[in-house]
Amino acid sequence: MRCDCGEQLDEALRLISLPPSSSSPGRGAVIYLRQEGRGIGLLSKIRAYNLQDMGHDTVQANLLLGHGADERRYDIAAAILQDLGLGEEGEAMGGDHDATRMGIELLTNNPDKVKSLEAEGIKVVKRRAMIPRSWQHLHQQPVAMKADEEQRMQVDEPGAVLSVHGATLIGGGGAAYGVDLEKYLRTKVERMGHMLDLPIPSSSST
């Protein structure tokens, strides 16, 4: 497993499906943009994977191919949100003066995504972090883990999937885990400024 894209989509759908509460609006929208490889395209992304197999991280691979670390744009996403009547303050569609468009909660770890949408006129009232499920487990048990939990975390296959009961809406639950994925997630935090707390390494557990 090389990225957490599928897991993030799965978690976004789960969060959107939750009933209304103090912590959930009970509704939402998933906007899909064809920007594979952070905007460099599918073919270049495959080439980037080859460079990652040689030891480069995801940012270095893009740069070596002559691309930026992240070439995505969000003007089309902003236009879709505006067309749906989302993310803008003011009178609601249909002339209802009692209803207003109050902005959006954005599911992302990427500060550039927030800034780009705001630059396009989208009001982001809250950012909700998308914590990798394998990291959620580590954040919950940062110091010590029970023996059965340690066994549960043992992964022999590089792209193995950890089962997390009830964690997902689709496919019965699962947390992606692997050496390549771990390196990718840490690179996004350390080199691209994604807003996530790195988990405490397992070697420091006592």
Side-chain angles (χ1 to χ4, degrees):
M1 187 69 68
R2 291 182 180 267
C3 76
D4 60 335
C5 308
E7 183 179 286
Q8 284 197 6
L9 173 61
D10 191 46
E11 181 66 6
L13 292 171
R14 188 190 71 82
L15 291 171
I16 288 171
S17 72
L18 294 175
S21 68
S22 59
S23 60
S24 173
R27 60 188 182 276
V30 172
I31 298 175
Y32 174 74
L33 302 176
R34 296 185 64 181
Q35 300 190 121
E36 284 78 6
R38 299 193 302 277
I40 67 175
L42 186 57
L43 181 59
S44 290
K45 186 60 181 176
I46 293 173
R47 291 170 175 162
Y49 281 157
N50 290 335
L51 289 171
Q52 287 174 243
D53 288 340
M54 296 169 62
H56 301 287
D57 64 37
T58 183
V59 171
Q60 292 169 333
N62 276 27
L63 297 178
L64 287 170
L65 291 171
H67 295 289
D70 191 341
E71 296 186 353
R72 289 175 293 183
R73 296 176 53 181
Y74 301 100
D75 50 337
I76 294 177
I80 293 172
L81 287 169
Q82 290 164 348
D83 188 59
L84 293 172
L86 302 174
E88 299 176 291
E89 290 185 307
E91 184 178 318
M93 297 178 65
D96 185 350
H97 293 277
D98 294 327
T100 56
R101 293 172 283 185
M102 299 300 293
I104 62 170
E105 292 186 15
L106 188 63
L107 306 177
T108 186
N109 303 320
N110 187 350
D112 291 337
K113 191 175 294 185
V114 178
K115 294 176 183 177
S116 296
L117 287 174
E118 289 180 333
E120 296 291 338
I122 300 299
K123 181 175 178 60
V124 180
V125 297
K126 180 180 179 180
R127 182 193 68 86
R128 182 175 296 193
M130 300 293 283
I131 302 173
R133 288 173 185 157
S134 58
W135 286 16
Q136 289 177 25
H137 184 88
L138 294 175
H139 280 303
Q140 291 167 359
Q141 302 277 354
V143 177
M145 296 174 65
K146 298 178 181 178
D148 60 335
E149 290 175 331
E150 291 179 344
Q151 183 176 5
R152 187 184 184 195
M153 291 293 289
Q154 292 297 322
V155 178
D156 297 324
E157 298 294 332
V161 174
L162 294 176
S163 176
V164 180
H165 180 69
T168 184
L169 175 70
I170 301 171
Y177 184 85
V179 175
D180 290 332
L181 175 59
E182 181 70 16
K183 183 177 180 180
Y184 172 77
L185 293 171
R186 288 181 174 273
T187 297
K188 289 204 295 184
V189 174
E190 295 170 349
R191 301 201 59 186
M192 301 181 70
H194 283 214
M195 295 180 284
L196 277 175
D197 293 328
L198 292 172
I200 298 174
S202 58
S203 59
S204 65
S205 299
T206 57

